Amino acid sequence: MIQEKLSLWSHLYELVSGLYLREPTEKSVSTLGELAPDIGSLLEDNDISHLLAQAGDVAVSELRQEYYDLFLVPVSGRYLPPFESAHRANRLWGPSTHAVQALYQATGFHPESLDTSDCWNGVTIPDHIGFELAFASSLLRSLAGAEDTSEMEALVDTVTFFVDQTLAKWAEPFGQKVQQNAETPFYRAVGLITTRIVPVWRRAFGETLQKVSLHRKSQST
Amino acid sequence: MKKLSRRDFIKVAAAAGSLTVFGIGYSGTIKGISKGWWSAERPRDPITGNAPEPEFRVDRKSGKVIPNPNQYVANTVCVGCTTLCGVRVRVDKKTGKVLRVSGNPYHVLSADPFLPYETPIKESYKFLSGYQDSGLKHRSTACGRGNAVLDKLYDPYRVLTPLKRVGPRGSGKWQPITFEQLVKEVVEGGDLFGEGHVDGLRAIRDIKTPIDPNAPELGPKANQLVFIAGFKEGRLPLAKRFSVLSFGSINFTGHRGNCGLSMRAGYAALLDDWKKYPHLKPDFKNTEFLLTIGTAPANAGNPFKRTGKMVAEGRSDGDLTYVVVDPVLTNSDSIAAGARSRWIPVKPGTDGALVMAMIRWILENDRYNAHFLSQPNGKVAQAAGEPSWSNATHLVIVDETRPDYGKFLRGSQLGLAEKGKNDTFVVIDQTSGKPIAHSKATGPAVLFYSGTMEIDGKPVAVKTSLQLLKEEAQKHTLEEYSKACEVPVSTIVSLADEFTRHGRKAVADCHGGTMHSTGFYTAYAAVMLNALVGNLNWKGGTSAGGGRYADVKPGPRYNMVKFKGKVKPKGVRISRRGFPYEKTTEFKKKKEAGQNPYPAQAPWYPFSMALQSEYLPGSLNGYPYPVKAIILWNTNPMYGQAGLYNAAKEAMADPKRVPLIISIDPFINETSAFADYIVPDTVLYETWGATGPWAGYLTKVNSVRWPAVEPPVAKTPDGDPICMESFLIAVAKRMGLPGFGDKAIPDAEGNLHPLNHPEDWHLRVAANIAFDAEPVPDASDEDIALTGVERIREKLKAVLKPEEWRKVAYVLARGGRFEDEKKSYQGEWLTHRYGKPMQIYNERVGTARNSMNGKRFVGVPTWAPARFADETLLEKVYEPKEWPFLMVSTKSQLVSAPVPGTPKLEVIHPQNFVVLHEDDARKLGVKSGDRVRVTSPAASVEGIVSVRLGIKRGVVGIEHGYGHWGLGAKQEQIGNKIWHASALRGKGTASNLLGIGDPSRKGISTLGDFVVGSNARQAIPVKVEKI
């Protein structure tokens, strides 16, 4: 049960990571429409469901343009650099970037290996929101499959600390900015999802992770 | 809308591929970290975090040095690329792990100025510190590669025990076996894989019986063992001793044919040394104008790091201006250097046209150095103030009807000298206008002459070498050359003009860009520019290097090349290099049968060297004879040779072609993947070795490596790490080969010493180095302790004589032996000078024939468009209409063969790109980040586009070193363990997969230079399409 819940959140984090790392396609937009009620329910916000349900009303080419304007083209007037350091330290490659990079290296996470849209190929700045969300997803996935108690505890420590020290410090305000700068329901939904994913996860999961750890500890004794 | 269950949510989300980011290749589980700041632990130091403590501290005021007692700093040699820089390796005494790597301040390739050799180790630390700013003056660093490559010591994909294949060859399934089983099976053979009998090395070693009694020139059956090695990183002589001098096979090669053979052959022709293949480099400190063709200082070439430093200093503090001729803009070009650096984009494979145009202009406008060129011999040259000379004035027989056509006219033919070893060449004396023996000339000789001389009462047409060069250059107009290379005539003329305005301080050099099908003549032409200005052995001109102290030689302490039972190998190499086709039975039989003997079944290369690129094709084709076993060491031709993988992968997997393949390698690379056995090897700072820089230095240098850290590989029963040395020693001893075992190495008094362990060899080589010329001082206990030589103190004492070991420790503690930099010059001449004359005309080239069509080669540089071995032009077979681009592989500043898979570089530079010019990208409708397919006549690869202005139109540039499918990029099964594939290691595009075969040849082939056979990895015809 716990593994299933971990796996579910791992997929949710991956899905949100994909919203930032992959250009929208007809398939992804329609799938999100299909998943709209579940995402809204998981993130405890019906507006998400409503906005995602409207996503298909806008041409994918327009969504793609918005994706570029929001996250890739600095001169668009609506550009929001999707990098943590840009929002927390007003620069690229700030201290948080190096800290995140060190953690990726230490844990064996390779953002370069992710399946992203070609426009992100060669971008190696580690604190891209998509990379951070994928990292969180990867940690949760590993946690769901962990069998060894000490490894599980280490993973719990790592994911908790990582989310607390990085995403919790900037995902919510970043999501708000996305909501403000977006013109389509789809990207307003993306912004809203981003504001919700960390606080809801922490609320729902802080306790669960403790349970996981305790449960495993009791099993091992 | 109906709500989905959680399971369905996962299924739907995962099914929508466009929402997922973990692709098929993603390796999965990552590990949690329970220590570190992320688990709320504070770092040890608020400023430096958990970075290692410094290895020493130096008081800025007093200069007092306080070493860190927990670390030692080993001066040794980097093996991260072929430059082989001196490095100092910082080791944690407690863990035995390497912490960091930086430059060895004693080593010429790492520091400028480098420290005086007598400087005590402790004192050397001062020169790296802030004390009196000496750390800036003697700054000694390792490059990006050098810093990253240490990760390979701890690579999770490292082979640590001997492996034997358990599935079909190349299937990726292995069984760990003991060292004893390994040695027994490879020596004795048997039904090793359940596929039938395989001959072991004992059965193959027959140094008497010919492979083919009907073709005795092929040599004995022992030649059916082929040893394919890598570059000269300091251990190669032992491998050569085993395979050539003890086993008796003629088939031993380094990597040159897949590296820079075209350049080396061009220099060999110019310098007339077909054995050592020396090459020249500028005296950077004093060079004023440098023209680099198909290489780029500080981006490519060798020595990479020193050249970078010299160029940076030369263009800022010195008088250096340099021009890079290359299809791709390199990092050598610097806006900050202003007019001091320029880039001339050239069509790939046509640099030869550009240079021949320059030669024509220089000769027609009297801009050559007549004073230098007209000296007919060394003595006259010296008297005239020239430290070198040339054969520009020597007469060549040009009567095509004569058997000696293409040979130099000999003094004996005119009655000017005795026939035999004292025979001379002939020149025309400038004063008398009469022919004289070149050695008897007392003054300058005529440079341009075309006429006749009477031999045996008949007039015979002769020309001087320089006349031949001029006529060859005049075969095309400047406009024709310009059209071929796509460089405007005005640019060519201004380049030639500028080049010849700097006297002897102008230098031309070339390298890997000449690795195309006509690279030899391109290189010969490029380096000929040096002869035209007469810069050899001059300050600011060119140098062949400062040489070395005796190492693997009949040295002052030990004779490392002589032993009882030493074999002189005979026969023809599997690469067919160094042997003229005209002397083969194949040729003679065809002649006897009245057939045209041309073409041969495959090309023969009479004056080529280390032709690795023909070793695997020759072995797999069984031509000129079948091969029974291959030993690969420290090399990866299936990745490194353009076109080989696609041409040979099926044959490599077929044990009927070559029944036994043994690879000695620390990793499972694209070639060792096809081995039957993999022998683990030591890596980097775990290894022994004695080597030296290639060129680009002016004083004597020996770079020496010793095991600064303990290797993690399994041990032999004798307690040695399993590695190349211990494996070959064990095989040799089991077979009872000469030159190994208890009485193997004679000392200067003739006493015999053992070769049972790796150190038996390497320490005695080091003893020669230590005692050559004036012996070095004894190492102090402090030197030994600070550098970690302490860890091998007992080995030093056990192997060496009492009077030797501290001197050898002195050499090891400093990472080699280095002559004082002050000995670089004697006035305006270099101290260490190259002695042979420069060859304006090379007789050996001019008298050889192309074995594929019977045509003679031209003995001077010439312009030759891209062609196959039979000289069919590439454009005729692969028309530009269908193949509108030419692909070049570009040199990476960070990635080299030993480096892939290092986490540091994976972060800095995880992949390469398919580089296109902006105009080409527009025509193709692609932009940076788009995915494209690049297709050559042999294969297709995919990659990500990078659109640049810094590439010539019509060119596709791909940085070499990426897109691996071995070295961890492919899954392997070792016993019951699975080594999962790492997607990151396979990232990017492998340029060599686009390499093409040669349709004018039979069997497996790759395109090579039509004269010397070097692998063509440049100027490959391709097309590009958006995916």
Side-chain angles (χ1 to χ4, degrees):
Chain A
M1 190 65 186
I2 291 165
Q3 278 88 342
E4 196 186 330
K5 195 174 171 190
L6 282 166
S7 184
L8 177 72
W9 274 89
S10 166
H11 277 84
L12 186 62
Y13 268 94
E14 183 187 357
L15 183 146
V16 185
S17 163
L19 292 174
Y20 284 102
L21 290 173
R22 305 195 64 164
E23 294 173 26
T25 62
E26 281 185 19
K27 177 81 179 160
S28 65
V29 173
S30 74
T31 305
L32 280 163
E34 204 180 327
L35 295 173
D38 303 273
I39 297 172
S41 156
L42 272 169
L43 296 176
E44 302 167 6
D45 193 325
N46 283 338
D47 285 351
I48 294 174
S49 313
H50 294 142
L51 286 167
L52 283 178
Q54 297 168 44
D57 299 346
V58 180
V60 171
S61 59
E62 205 177 311
L63 292 179
R64 200 171 292 138
Q65 186 59 53
E66 178 147 62
Y67 177 77
Y68 273 75
D69 288 347
L70 287 172
F71 307 123
L72 279 153
V73 184
V75 294
S76 69
R78 294 194 283 147
Y79 176 64
L80 293 165
F83 305 101
E84 179 180 344
S85 182
H87 295 273
R88 291 183 65 195
N90 257 336
R91 53 175 283 210
L92 291 178
W93 284 101
S96 60
T97 323
H98 292 287
V100 167
Q101 185 179 33
L103 188 51
Y104 291 170
Q105 282 177 6
T107 54
F109 176 71
H110 298 292
E112 304 86 355
S113 297
L114 296 177
D115 198 359
T116 66
S117 287
D118 286 349
C119 52
W120 295 112
N121 264 316
V123 174
T124 56
I125 306 175
D127 62 351
H128 186 292
I129 189 161
F131 295 157
E132 290 192 354
L133 289 163
F135 181 55
S137 165
S138 192
L139 287 165
L140 291 174
R141 183 201 280 206
S142 298
L143 190 52
E147 290 173 357
D148 173 72
T149 309
S150 60
E151 174 61 6
M152 189 170 305
E153 284 169 358
L155 281 162
V156 168
D157 283 350
T158 310
V159 71
T160 309
F161 190 76
F162 172 71
V163 173
D164 286 354
Q165 294 299 316
T166 58
L167 286 167
K169 295 213 190 280
W170 78 292
E172 194 170 346
F174 179 73
Q176 284 165 0
K177 285 181 196 165
V178 174
Q179 276 181 279
Q180 284 161 18
N181 286 15
E183 291 176 351
T184 63
F186 183 81
Y187 278 102
R188 281 204 290 275
V190 170
L192 188 51
I193 289 169
T194 310
T195 63
R196 301 290 297 160
I197 191 159
V198 175
V200 176
W201 179 83
R202 288 170 98 188
R203 213 165 41 239
F205 242 85
E207 207 179 301
T208 311
L209 286 183
Q210 278 180 3
K211 273 187 206 163
V212 170
S213 186
L214 290 172
H215 172 70
R216 290 286 177 173
K217 273 179 189 165
S218 66
Q219 271 194 340
S220 63
T221 50
Chain B
M1 195 182 285
K2 178 182 159 290
K3 275 187 113 184
L4 298 172
S5 70
R6 282 177 175 173
R7 260 178 223 286
D8 288 342
F9 175 88
I10 292 170
K11 219 186 284 174
V12 171
S18 51
L19 282 171
T20 56
V21 294
F22 298 115
I24 295 164
Y26 194 80
S27 56
T29 309
I30 56 175
K31 58 183 185 240
I33 302 297
S34 54
K35 287 192 186 301
W37 61 262
W38 41 83
S39 61
E41 283 186 7
R42 287 196 174 281
R44 195 178 58 240
D45 185 286
I47 296 170
T48 58
N50 290 325
E53 289 172 7
E55 61 271 48
F56 55 82
R57 291 175 193 278
V58 178
D59 187 285
R60 270 180 177 253
K61 282 185 186 164
S62 66
K64 189 181 174 197
V65 179
I66 308 151
N68 183 338
N70 300 318
Q71 297 178 21
Y72 60 86
V73 185
N75 285 315
T76 179
V77 182
C78 180
V79 200
C81 78
T82 56
T83 296
L84 301 165
C85 295
V87 285
R88 62 195 163 104
V89 175
R90 190 142 60 103
V91 183
D92 184 319
K93 282 186 187 171
K94 212 181 277 177
T95 61
K97 297 253 178 192
V98 176
L99 299 169
R100 293 275 164 82
V101 177
S102 51
N104 174 358
Y106 293 95
H107 200 288
V108 61
L109 295 188
S110 290
D112 182 71
F114 51 95
L115 289 183
Y117 194 55
E118 319 73 56
T119 311
I121 296 293
K122 194 169 176 184
E123 193 72 7
S124 76
Y125 295 167
K126 212 185 284 184
F127 292 99
L128 302 164
S129 74
Y131 174 66
Q132 294 179 342
D133 283 340
S134 53
L136 287 175
K137 190 179 169 197
H138 294 276
R139 187 178 171 84
S140 185
T141 56
C143 72
R145 276 194 289 253
N147 272 294
V149 74
L150 75 92
D151 291 343
K152 297 305 279 183
L153 291 167
Y154 312 113
D155 193 314
Y157 292 91
R158 190 166 167 188
V159 176
L160 299 175
T161 55
L163 301 178
K164 177 183 180 180
R165 72 171 166 95
V166 286
R169 189 186 277 172
S171 64
K173 290 183 181 160
W174 309 90
Q175 186 63 46
I177 56 170
T178 63
F179 185 70
E180 294 92 320
Q181 182 185 345
L182 166 77
V183 173
K184 182 181 169 219
E185 291 188 7
V186 302
V187 171
E188 310 302 346
D191 186 5
L192 302 173
F193 311 102
E195 298 164 355
H197 178 82
V198 178
D199 273 355
L201 299 181
R202 192 190 296 282
I204 297 169
R205 189 186 185 256
D206 177 346
I207 55 173
K208 285 189 181 143
T209 314
I211 298 170
D212 180 353
N214 297 318
E217 78 277 6
L218 299 179
K221 289 185 169 182
N223 288 348
Q224 290 178 296
L225 168 68
V226 165
F227 199 114
I228 305 176
F231 67 107
K232 291 180 176 174
E233 47 76 274
R235 304 162 71 199
L236 193 132
L238 183 66
K240 193 170 181 181
R241 178 184 179 104
F242 167 84
S243 57
V244 179
L245 307 178
S246 296
F247 192 95
S249 170
I250 199 163
N251 284 312
F252 180 89
T253 188
H255 77 151
R256 202 174 292 161
N258 282 324
C259 183
L261 176 63
S262 297
M263 174 276 284
R264 296 293 291 266
Y267 272 118
L270 179 74
L271 300 172
D272 199 28
D273 187 341
W274 299 102
K275 271 193 171 168
K276 291 184 187 160
Y277 264 58
H279 68 300
L280 305 177
K281 286 282 170 200
D283 167 24
F284 273 108
K285 281 201 172 165
N286 300 289
T287 298
E288 289 178 4
F289 187 81
L290 172 62
L291 173 62
T292 70
I293 295 163
T295 185
N299 191 100
N302 195 318
F304 169 75
K305 194 173 66 172
R306 176 173 165 81
T307 304
K309 189 175 168 69
M310 294 287 103
V311 165
E313 283 177 5
R315 74 187 179 201
S316 53
D317 302 336
D319 297 319
L320 179 66
T321 296
Y322 58 97
V323 174
V324 177
V325 177
D326 200 297
V328 183
L329 177 66
T330 64
N331 293 313
S332 299
D333 200 60
S334 164
I335 292 169
R340 293 289 191 89
S341 75
R342 294 207 306 278
W343 170 49
I344 296 179
V346 67
K347 184 180 173 183
T350 66
D351 329 49
L354 183 145
V355 181
M356 288 306 291
M358 286 178 71
I359 290 174
R360 176 174 179 148
W361 187 89
I362 289 167
L363 291 173
E364 288 181 342
N365 290 277
D366 296 338
R367 296 292 287 272
Y368 51 90
N369 185 337
H371 186 265
F372 162 73
L373 291 166
S374 59
Q375 307 303 329
N377 65 48
K379 233 190 225 171
V380 174
Q382 283 237 355
E386 295 285 351
S388 63
W389 59 295
S390 79
N391 68 8
T393 57
H394 297 193
L395 291 170
V396 181
I397 295 166
V398 293
D399 182 342
E400 291 185 24
T401 62
R402 291 179 58 91
D404 53 4
Y405 164 56
K407 292 201 165 185
F408 282 110
L409 179 65
R410 277 3 195 229
S412 61
Q413 291 177 290
L414 300 185
L416 300 171
E418 290 288 315
K419 225 174 175 177
K421 64 176 183 177
N422 292 326
D423 209 345
T424 66
F425 303 111
V426 178
V427 297
I428 298 171
D429 182 52
Q430 260 189 23
T431 315
S432 66
K434 287 186 178 164
I436 53 170
H438 87 287
S439 59
K440 296 202 177 136
T442 53
V446 169
L447 279 171
F448 296 100
Y449 179 80
S450 176
T452 57
M453 293 281 158
E454 203 165 285
I455 301 175
D456 299 331
K458 287 179 189 163
V460 175
V462 295
K463 291 176 183 177
T464 60
S465 295
L466 198 61
Q467 178 73 32
L468 286 170
L469 178 63
K470 187 174 182 180
E471 288 178 13
E472 194 63 36
Q474 286 175 330
K475 279 190 176 161
H476 302 278
T477 63
L478 294 191
E479 287 70 25
E480 286 168 346
Y481 285 127
S482 164
K483 197 179 165 197
C485 65
E486 298 180 0
V487 176
V489 170
S490 58
T491 305
I492 298 172
V493 169
S494 69
L495 190 59
D497 178 38
E498 193 174 1
F499 185 82
T500 50
R501 279 182 190 278
H502 294 270
R504 316 198 189 245
K505 295 195 173 181
V507 173
D509 193 19
C510 64
H511 209 140
T514 59
M515 291 296 282
H516 52 72
S517 63
T518 58
F520 164 70
Y521 278 120
T522 300
Y524 192 16
V527 301
M528 181 61 72
L529 292 170
N530 297 306
L532 295 186
V533 295
N535 65 19
L536 179 61
N537 297 332
W538 281 91
K539 195 177 202 176
T542 50
S543 156
R548 290 192 206 178
Y549 294 97
D551 45 21
V552 186
K553 298 265 166 56
R557 301 301 294 182
Y558 297 97
N559 191 331
M560 304 307 292
V561 292
K562 185 185 165 190
F563 55 88
K564 198 179 165 198
K566 176 176 157 181
V567 184
K568 192 172 180 207
K570 290 177 191 149
V572 169
R573 291 176 181 84
I574 197 72
S575 60
R576 306 163 312 282
R577 73 105 180 140
F579 200 93
Y581 171 56
E582 291 73 17
K583 286 190 180 171
T584 63
T585 303
E586 178 188 341
F587 178 89
K588 287 172 193 160
K589 276 189 177 166
K590 282 181 185 170
K591 276 277 253 191
E592 280 163 19
Q595 297 168 359
N596 180 355
Y598 301 102
Q601 275 197 53
W604 292 64
Y605 303 101
F607 46 84
S608 192
M609 174 62 96
L611 194 51
Q612 190 191 70
S613 44
E614 291 295 334
Y615 266 72
L616 281 179
S619 302
L620 297 170
N621 289 332
Y623 177 75
Y625 47 82
V627 161
K628 290 191 171 177
I630 296 176
I631 301 178
L632 296 144
W633 170 61
N634 190 29
T635 192
N636 185 10
M638 292 295 269
Y639 178 85
Q641 180 170 337
L644 185 62
Y645 183 75
N646 285 310
K649 60 187 173 192
E650 280 157 19
M652 279 290 279
D654 179 3
K656 288 192 192 89
R657 299 269 194 147
V658 177
L660 183 61
I661 301 179
I662 302 158
S663 175
I664 309 168
D665 207 291
F667 306 102
I668 304 178
N669 61 36
E670 287 80 358
T671 310
S672 57
F674 289 102
D676 300 310
Y677 296 90
I678 299 182
V679 184
D681 200 8
T682 43
V683 174
L684 289 166
Y685 324 118
E686 300 162 0
T687 60
W688 297 94
T691 182
W694 289 23
Y697 63 106
L698 303 175
T699 46
K700 282 188 183 182
V701 179
N702 293 69
S703 309
V704 178
R705 231 165 41 243
W706 52 280
V709 288
E710 189 65 19
V713 293
K715 296 270 196 311
T716 68
D718 288 343
D720 295 318
I722 301 178
C723 58
M724 180 273 283
E725 291 93 333
S726 57
F727 171 67
L728 295 182
I729 289 170
V731 168
K733 285 172 73 174
R734 185 174 178 109
M735 292 178 68
L737 293 183
F740 289 84
D742 291 337
K743 293 181 176 179
I745 302 172
D747 64 18
E749 290 78 41
N751 304 310
L752 293 174
H753 299 270
L755 177 45
N756 291 321
H757 305 279
E759 58 267 26
D760 289 338
W761 173 265
H762 292 288
L763 286 176
R764 291 193 172 91
V765 172
N768 277 347
I769 295 168
F771 280 80
D772 194 23
E774 183 72 24
V776 304
D778 285 350
S780 66
D781 283 337
E782 186 180 65
D783 282 0
I784 290 172
L786 289 174
T787 55
V789 172
E790 185 66 48
R791 64 183 301 276
I792 57 165
R793 181 195 281 256
E794 291 314 310
K795 284 187 176 172
L796 284 160
K797 287 165 95 170
V799 172
L800 298 170
K801 297 173 186 174
E803 70 274 22
E804 290 173 344
W805 79 267
R806 275 191 185 271
K807 292 195 187 302
V808 170
Y810 193 91
V811 171
L812 302 187
R814 283 155 182 75
R817 188 171 177 190
F818 315 102
E819 191 182 30
D820 196 321
E821 197 169 8
K822 289 187 197 111
K823 294 192 176 164
S824 300
Y825 306 103
Q826 287 176 345
E828 287 303 301
W829 294 4
L830 304 182
T831 302
H832 297 285
R833 296 189 287 276
Y834 187 78
K836 284 185 154 191
M838 290 174 117
Q839 306 287 295
I840 308 301
Y841 173 84
N842 191 294
E843 187 182 65
R844 190 145 184 213
V845 178
T847 52
R849 288 179 188 274
N850 183 335
S851 61
M852 299 301 280
N853 59 16
K855 279 192 206 164
R856 271 177 182 268
F857 292 123
V858 181
V860 290
T862 185
W863 157 231
R867 61 195 57 195
F868 294 109
D870 71 348
E871 303 198 44
T872 303
L873 295 183
L874 243 74
E875 281 199 355
K876 291 220 162 142
V877 179
Y878 303 124
E879 291 183 20
K881 227 190 272 175
E882 193 186 349
W883 308 96
F885 290 92
L886 291 172
M887 189 279 292
V888 295
S889 75
T890 66
K891 180 82 171 182
S892 177
Q893 276 195 313
L894 289 169
V895 176
S896 61
V899 171
T902 55
K904 290 187 187 75
L905 291 189
E906 282 175 346
V907 171
I908 296 167
H909 191 25
Q911 69 171 92
N912 61 355
F913 297 94
V914 173
V915 181
L916 292 170
H917 189 274
E918 190 181 56
D919 293 348
D920 292 329
R922 197 177 302 122
K923 279 184 211 157
L924 291 163
V926 297
K927 55 189 185 313
S928 285
D930 282 350
R931 206 163 178 83
V932 289
R933 181 177 298 112
V934 185
T935 303
S936 75
S940 286
V941 296
E942 293 180 7
I944 307 294
V945 169
S946 173
V947 177
R948 295 184 198 165
L949 288 169
I951 186 165
K952 189 165 170 50
R953 290 171 188 83
V955 178
V956 172
I958 300 178
E959 182 183 353
H960 177 58
Y962 287 88
H964 275 277
W965 58 97
L967 295 171
K970 176 177 156 279
Q971 180 172 300
E972 304 283 341
Q973 184 175 341
I974 316 290
N976 295 325
K977 284 188 187 161
I978 302 289
W979 286 5
H980 292 287
S982 157
L984 203 55
R985 293 188 179 212
K987 199 127 179 161
T989 306
S991 57
N992 277 345
L993 288 176
L994 293 169
I996 60 178
D998 186 334
S1000 77
R1001 296 173 53 170
K1002 288 178 186 160
I1004 293 162
S1005 70
T1006 56
L1007 182 65
D1009 178 83
F1010 77 109
V1011 183
V1012 295
S1014 42
N1015 179 235
R1017 61 172 181 265
Q1018 311 290 17
I1020 304 293
V1022 296
K1023 51 190 167 190
V1024 183
E1025 58 193 317
K1026 189 177 177 181
I1027 300 174

